[in-house]
């Protein structure tokens, strides 16, 4: 394995009621900035927050996890895509509305020494999660190349921010409505040779492709995964993935507290949704070596 | 709600062991307590009811492991956990160091498994008692769930009671998926249970309209959350009515102090907060405060007076 | 949602009797149909499943008769109704005049009551078949509910099947409050049921935090609505898996076409919409349209192909 | 019995999505005016509407019944008191928000010949339900006396409207913060001798007292009751009261479709919440003549 697992965040999360300070449409998404100083001051790039949805009459009990795009000056910014009822409700919040939020949650991206050139790869709203990271890397003088891809122009995200922060930015769309036509992975191949570390956030298929490409070239790659989460804080065990630990053994690891940032080479993407025999404790489930 | 702190006596007991608060976590909904530390004072709550542990470490089931449902959720975790060795080595000492009480949930697929777990937990640090999760398939009876068969359930409880530290109260955790919950309650109490935890999840299913297949890898899963609260309250009511002297740890959809109050009035002397923790990580502490306020507002001097009150008021 | 009208074949059957739509009302949730007329074309829906009728007129229980619960409600109506004479004199002719099909729900506390009701309904105008509500206390067995005892349930169904018009399909309506619903399903099918209605309400309780007494006059009541949908789907899934040839009328928390689709995929060949009507009086017609759209979007030519699809996709 | 049961409404209800046109605080209540022409044109004074509450993520399945205060010019006005979660949600609606509403529901107040002097008695937000009636009576030249009572000033309702429409208005509060100190019933006693018909809307205790007083003086009295309703349209049977029919027999009558307006002398107030032996069908429930 090339990667070292991301360390635990330095500070624990808090739960707060945070008013919406700003709301902005960004292509197909809604960007919300909330007033949450104690969350902002604790945030490390790559962490996420969890919002209660639907207000006091809600039938939706579970929080929705949303990656933190940027955190600073007392505020936290997120980009939300209206997928189902919970995220749709979030995108409908207006300035002044109060949100019940827990964060920052999970582990951030490990930060490389300043001299290591970094390649950041975002897919869809996944690019938002890389903005804080890009800022942090730029701050310490790291050379940053960013690739933002999406199915179509309206589903691109954070391109202006990344353009401002990165040394090089490439945009790809599957349908060619913006940037180069094609998948992000094509652009990634091109920049990989100059990269010392890769960070990726986006759909699972993309994470897998980016991680495979980087690992094949011996470049450490960190991915921020998106697994269905019931609690977001590590107590329910719904969000697990088969991840290879430092001892070489695979465990079902919680993406909320042991992730969402994992070494890409450590995530057994092909086995997600299955129970491989060599996962620790699979034997007790009756799964034996084939 | 205004919380009235009128010096309400919130101390209660699990079996004969006193606890300072009637509000506990629910097994499987707060892992082993660690992750709640930023949100809750673990030494102030009634106890941490730990995730059901088995003899060996378990991976649990493949994902997806959950589906959100109206006012609830379905889960199929498959009891992922460290096994008894891990629990004894890491989790119980961690809780003990912090002065938190552990009410240890044990699970197995054979009567002997349960007995061995109880035996291993004798004298373990910080252990307050045992909650026996009998909603597990019995491998010796074609996978029928122990909790659905009064005889099998009693066998487990008798074996655990015999093997456990005599100072540890043993609670049997009942499943609502039975025709006659009072019958099961009576059987396990006769077998030596010091109390009853009620209820475990209801068996449910959700189909994904896109894949047109069950959402969960395990096909069916356990339904929890406020959706099931009326069923849980009915079970507590029925059992307390039939067996008023048996202590009940009530649970199922508790989200607020007034929800907890309903369980207490129906006959529970303590309550567990499960799924609500996913919505609000500080729920256990909040429910304690709200319950104290609600009891004070109603003129109770302590929780003890309120237990089963809804039955007495009838008379 | 966009409703795709791709000429989907929505006709299905109750037993061997064809109906033009798989979406029906649920017993007790649309009275005898009259009040829905401003909102729904009664002749276009599958059938009006009438409020369970008994031999004599019944006042029903005292109020309060309901409590709202998270994503559901609890009711304790006590089968208020006109009795079989009133039904035959007023309600069935009214429905027949409008070309609406009546699937008549019958209830009783003795096996003979059920048989007499079936007998009285022979040849009544507009009657399509009988749904037998066996979630009633059996006066001859210390009030145990028929549906909770496979033997008692079979006795009722056998008697009804023998007394009923041979052209009328007889559906047994099952309770989820049993340890083994497949066992009950098998028993009533063996006794002659042409189909199964699943599920009736779950037994529940709510306590009023102000009066500190059960909200309902009848103490416990029946829990319905989206809260119970996962339990209902699980019952339909289990029974269809065990008895794939037995037609199922699925119900429990259906509110949208995608909810209905889940029941169909799990094995129901028709569905009833109950509590959702209280939220949306046009729900029965809307669910029909949404279900048609959902089936079309998924490439089904008709509802028939989709019944039980979630089981087959597994293979 | 002095009263004839209120007849069925002339036109059936409809279900519509209605935007909020106006929102106004009135003491402790919120008055909402919604744009619902088809409901407005069908409304008879005394009818009510039923609102779905909590929006698309709601855990509250049941509609909330609210009396119609006035209906006209395409709009329907209601006055809502924030009691529990559903009514609180309603009071939080803003101009432009869309409400899912069914109405008009139930039976209206029977209208007397113009020459019959009418006494209208409202308790708390119950006074709102009398405004449309007062307007209707005034239109036909009936002499109208209105009494509006409440526990305290902030819980009075519709006093300006009633003052505009009625010939005489009396206000009472239990604590004397407005009008005369005392219960509405004291004022009622005073005006009863000149009344040919009485209409009342408010809490059950008040309805009973007003009805008893009127009936004792042989004045027909119509009350609009408030029973817990699950459906509001007559299909669930949750909202029943013991009401004496024209044949002299008591039935459990649905307050949503056979009411909410009943002849006060026909409602067996003392038996609400019980099952008297002489209710039709009580024998089948095992209740026998004592
Ligand atoms: C670490 C993390 C970061 C995320 N960051 C973002 C972000 O920046 N912007 C954004 O728009 N979305 C983000 N998501 C996805 C977002 O959480 C889901 O889209 C959202 O939960 C869907 O909720 P819903 O009510 O709209 O859909 P529903 O389908 O109704 O959700 C039902 C349940 O499934 C869960 N669920 C459904 N889809 C997903 C998913 N893709 N990932 C996780 N859980 C899911 C929900 O949380 C909910 O519990 C992130 C998810 C995770 C885990
Ligand atoms: C015919 C009629 C007219 C009404 N007119 C008005 C009005 O003009 N203004 C106003 O503010 N309120 C009115 N109400 C009362 C209003 O419907 C209730 O206050 C409201 O339903 C309470 O809902 P909630 O969610 O706030 O309370 P909750 O206590 O959470 O309600 C729980 C359930 O009980 C029912 N319920 C609770 N209280 C009542 C009640 N008093 N009457 C009927 N059902 C109740 C609710 O509808 C709901 O189904 C009227 C009720 C009826 C039946
Ligand atoms: C994700 C999850 C995991 C659970 N794991 C366990 C478990 O390991 N052992 C157990 O006895 N109960 C388990 N339960 C059941 C809960 O302890 C509780 O009995 C049930 O969820 C009802 O309470 P609630 O509605 O407050 O969650 C689990 C519940 C959930 C939601
Ligand atoms: C108010 C009410 C009354 C009911 N009455 C009857 C009845 O008379 N007979 C019957 O078989 N089921 C009755 N039911 C049960 C429903 O028919 C249905 O089985 C159950 O409510 C689940 O479906 P739902 O969630 O769609 O309502 C009643 C349900 C409700 C809510
Ligand atoms: S979401 Fe609960 S453990 Fe990760
Ligand atoms: S509220 Fe349903 S019948 Fe009256």
């Amino acid at each position: 394995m090339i990667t070292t697992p991301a360390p635990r965040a330095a500070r624990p999360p808090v739960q707060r009621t945070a008013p919406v300070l700003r709301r902005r449409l960004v292509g197909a998404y809604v960007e919300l900035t909330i007033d949450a100083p104690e969350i902002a001051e604790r945030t490390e790039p790559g962490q996420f927050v969890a919002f209660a949805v639907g207000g006091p009459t809600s039938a939706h009990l579970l929080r929705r996890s949303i990656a933190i795009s940027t955190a600073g000056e007392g505020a936290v910014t997120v980009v939300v895509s209206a997928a189902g009822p919970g995220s749709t409700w979030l995108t409908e919040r207006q300035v002044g509305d109060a949100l019940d939020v827990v964060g920052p949650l999970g582990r951030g991206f490990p930060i490389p020494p300043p001299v290591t050139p970094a390649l950041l790869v975002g897919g869809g709203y996944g690019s938002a999660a890389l903005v804080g990271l890009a800022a942090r890397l730029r701050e310490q003088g790291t050379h940053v190349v960013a690739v933002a891809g999406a199915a179509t122009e309206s589903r691109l995200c954070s391109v202006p921010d990344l353009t401002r922060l990165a040394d090089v930015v490439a945009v790809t769309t599957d349908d060619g409505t913006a940037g180069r036509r094609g998948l992000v992975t094509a652009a990634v191949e091109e920049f990989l040779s100059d990269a010392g570390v890769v960070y990726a956030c986006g759909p699972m298929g993309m994470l897998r492709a980016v991680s495979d490409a980087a690992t094949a070239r011996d470049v450490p790659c960190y991915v921020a995964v998106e697994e269905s989460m019931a609690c977001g804080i590590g107590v329910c065990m719904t969000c697990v993935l088969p991840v290879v630990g430092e001892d070489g053994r695979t465990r079902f690891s919680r993406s909320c507290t042991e992730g969402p940032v994992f070494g890409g080479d450590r995530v057994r993407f092909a086995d997600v949704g299955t129970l491989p025999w060599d996962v620790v404790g699979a034997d007790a489930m009756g799964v034996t070596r084939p | 709600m205004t919380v009235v702190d009128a010096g309400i006596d919130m101390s209660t007991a699990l079996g004969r062991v006193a606890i300072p608060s009637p509000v506990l976590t629910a097994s499987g909904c707060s892992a082993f307590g660690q992750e709640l530390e930023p949100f809750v004072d673990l030494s102030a709550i009634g106890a941490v009811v730990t995730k059901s542990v088995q003899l060996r470490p378990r991976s649990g089931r493949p994902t997806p492991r959950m589906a959100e449902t109206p006012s609830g959720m379905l889960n199929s975790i498959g009891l992922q956990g460290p096994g008894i060795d891990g629990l004894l080595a890491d989790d119980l000492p961690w809780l003990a160091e912090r002065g938190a009480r552990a009410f240890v949930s044990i699970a197995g697929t054979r009567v002997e498994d349960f007995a061995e777990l109880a035996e291993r937990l004798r004298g373990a640090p910080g252990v307050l008692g045992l909650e026996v999760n009998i909603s597990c398939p019995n491998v010796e009876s074609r996978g029928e769930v122990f909790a659905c068969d009064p005889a099998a359930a009693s066998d487990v409880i008798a074996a655990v009671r015999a093997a456990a530290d005599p100072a540890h109260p043993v609670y049997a955790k009942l499943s609502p998926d039975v025709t006659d919950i009072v019958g099961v309650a009576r059987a396990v109490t006769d077998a030596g249970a010091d109390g009853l935890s009620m209820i475990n999840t209801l068996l449910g299913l959700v189909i994904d309209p896109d894949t047109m297949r069950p959402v969960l890898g395990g096909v069916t899963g356990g339904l929890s959350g406020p959706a099931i609260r009326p069923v849980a309250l009915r079970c507590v009511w029925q059992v307390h009515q039939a067996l008023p002297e048996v202590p009940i740890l009530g649970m199922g959809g508790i989200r607020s102090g007034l929800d907890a109050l309903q369980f207490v009035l129906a006959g529970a002397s303590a309550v567990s907060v499960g799924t609500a923790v996913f919505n609000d990580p500080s729920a256990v502490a909040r429910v304690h405060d709200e319950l104290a306020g609600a009891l004070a507002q109603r003129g109770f001097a302590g929780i003890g007076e309120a237990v089963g009150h809804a039955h007495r008021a009838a008379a």
Side-chain angles (χ1 to χ4, degrees), chain A, chain B:
Chain A
M1 299 289 146
I2 327 173
T3 59
T4 315
R8 223 180 249 270
R11 299 180 62 189
V14 296
Q15 177 175 13
R16 290 293 178 270
T17 299
V20 175
L21 290 175
R22 213 168 48 240
R23 177 181 191 274
R24 210 159 63 88
L25 299 181
V26 231
Y29 311 118
V30 172
E31 184 189 271
L32 296 175
T33 301
I34 60 168
D35 182 10
E38 286 150 301
I39 298 179
E41 74 190 23
R42 286 157 199 245
T43 297
E44 301 173 14
Q47 288 190 289
F48 65 96
V49 286
F51 292 104
V53 295
T57 57
S58 183
H60 298 276
L61 210 59
L62 305 179
R63 284 175 183 265
R64 270 43 179 179
S65 298
I66 304 289
I68 295 170
S69 179
T70 58
E73 291 161 29
V76 171
T77 299
V78 295
V79 174
V80 185
S81 170
S87 51
T88 300
W89 183 89
L90 279 176
T91 61
E92 291 164 350
R93 290 316 91 198
Q94 303 298 328
V95 171
D97 287 355
L99 285 167
D100 173 354
V101 58
V102 174
L105 293 165
R107 305 182 177 203
F109 292 109
I111 303 299
V115 294
T116 314
L119 173 59
L120 278 53
V121 188
Y125 59 73
S127 300
L130 303 173
V131 176
L133 175 67
R136 174 70 190 280
L137 293 174
R138 182 194 175 87
E139 232 173 69
Q140 68 169 23
T142 296
H143 184 266
V144 175
V145 177
V147 179
T152 188
E153 185 180 13
S154 68
R155 306 202 75 83
L156 280 168
C157 184
S158 306
V159 174
D161 287 325
L162 292 173
T163 306
R164 186 170 45 79
L165 295 165
D167 297 279
V168 179
V169 173
V171 169
T172 69
T173 52
D174 301 357
D175 63 1
T177 45
R180 325 182 184 173
R181 177 190 297 268
L183 300 178
V184 272
T185 37
V188 167
E189 281 295 347
E190 178 180 327
F191 294 112
L192 250 184
S193 46
D194 297 326
V197 58
V198 177
Y199 300 96
C201 186
M204 276 300 213
M206 184 205 98
L207 298 184
R208 181 178 181 176
V210 172
S211 171
D212 285 352
T215 306
R217 302 222 197 174
D218 269 334
V219 183
C221 172
Y222 289 94
V223 298
V225 303
E226 207 184 286
E227 248 307 325
S228 211
M229 293 180 177
C231 77
I233 59 168
V235 296
C236 75
M237 309 305 239
T238 61
C239 62
V240 301
L241 292 174
V243 176
V244 181
E246 292 195 273
D247 59 1
R249 301 179 68 195
T250 302
R251 288 180 185 76
F252 270 160
S253 299
R254 291 164 295 178
S255 48
C256 63
T257 41
E258 294 161 76
V261 173
F262 290 108
D265 51 350
R266 296 184 175 275
V267 178
R268 289 171 55 175
F269 288 104
D271 295 322
V272 170
T274 70
L275 173 43
W277 68 269
D278 59 345
V279 167
V280 171
D283 53 341
M285 304 296 296
V287 179
T288 48
R289 188 174 203 140
Chain B
M1 208 201 355
T2 335
V3 173
V4 185
D5 184 358
I8 275 282
D9 178 8
M10 291 293 274
S11 66
T12 181
L14 292 174
R16 281 178 318 276
V17 181
I19 48 175
S21 161
V23 188
L24 289 69
T25 66
S27 180
C29 298
S30 289
F32 301 99
Q34 276 97 323
E35 294 82 2
L36 288 196
E37 216 185 13
F39 306 101
V40 171
D41 176 355
L42 294 172
S43 67
I45 66 175
V48 173
V49 183
T50 55
K51 170 95 191 151
S52 296
V53 73
Q54 300 208 15
L55 287 173
R56 290 152 64 199
R58 284 168 67 91
S59 63
R61 296 222 181 80
T63 52
R65 290 179 169 188
M66 73 104 177
E68 199 185 34
T69 69
S71 298
M73 66 174 285
L74 212 60
N75 88 79
S76 157
I77 308 296
L79 299 185
Q80 174 167 354
I84 186 70
D85 293 333
L87 183 82
L88 288 167
D90 301 329
D91 304 300
L92 291 180
W94 188 93
L95 286 169
E97 264 167 42
R98 275 151 192 83
R101 290 155 291 280
F103 200 51
V104 178
S105 172
I106 58 174
T109 54
R110 280 186 187 75
V111 173
E112 307 85 79
D113 295 357
F114 285 96
E116 188 177 339
L117 287 161
E119 176 73 43
R120 295 284 309 275
L121 284 159
R122 278 171 167 259
V127 176
L128 185 134
L130 307 182
E131 184 180 80
V132 190
N133 177 3
I134 49 177
S135 292
C136 302
N138 176 355
V139 291
E140 271 141 30
S141 169
R142 290 169 293 111
E144 203 201 353
V145 171
F146 288 103
C148 291
D149 173 4
S154 316
D155 289 348
V156 171
I157 298 303
V160 169
R161 186 60 283 176
D165 189 331
H168 286 166
V170 169
Y171 273 50
K173 184 158 178 187
L174 305 189
S175 163
D177 290 328
V178 295
T179 309
D180 175 19
I181 196 158
V182 171
V184 183
R186 195 167 271 132
V188 296
T189 316
D190 289 347
D194 302 293
L196 302 168
S197 296
M198 294 197 289
I199 59 173
N200 214 315
T201 53
L202 279 80
L203 196 64
L205 177 101
V206 173
I207 292 179
D208 182 329
D210 296 325
T211 65
M212 300 200 278
R213 287 281 303 146
V215 169
L216 300 179
V219 181
T220 57
L223 183 64
S224 64
I228 70 167
R229 195 192 310 138
V231 174
L233 275 164
R234 183 263 299 172
C235 292
V236 171
W237 174 276
Q238 289 179 324
V239 170
H240 183 74
Q241 181 146 42
L243 307 167
E245 72 294 347
V246 178
I248 295 175
L249 174 59
M251 73 200 71
I254 295 176
R255 195 174 177 181
S256 71
L258 288 183
D259 297 341
L261 178 67
Q262 288 193 63
F263 279 80
V264 171
L265 296 171
S269 46
V271 297
S272 277
V273 177
T275 306
V277 169
F278 307 164
N279 176 264
D280 174 8
S282 51
V284 180
R286 179 178 51 74
V287 169
H288 171 102
D289 293 347
E290 291 174 356
L291 176 59
L295 288 167
Q297 277 165 354
R298 284 161 185 75
F300 292 106
I303 169 116
E305 293 175 6
V307 176
H309 181 85
H311 297 263
R312 290 193 294 279

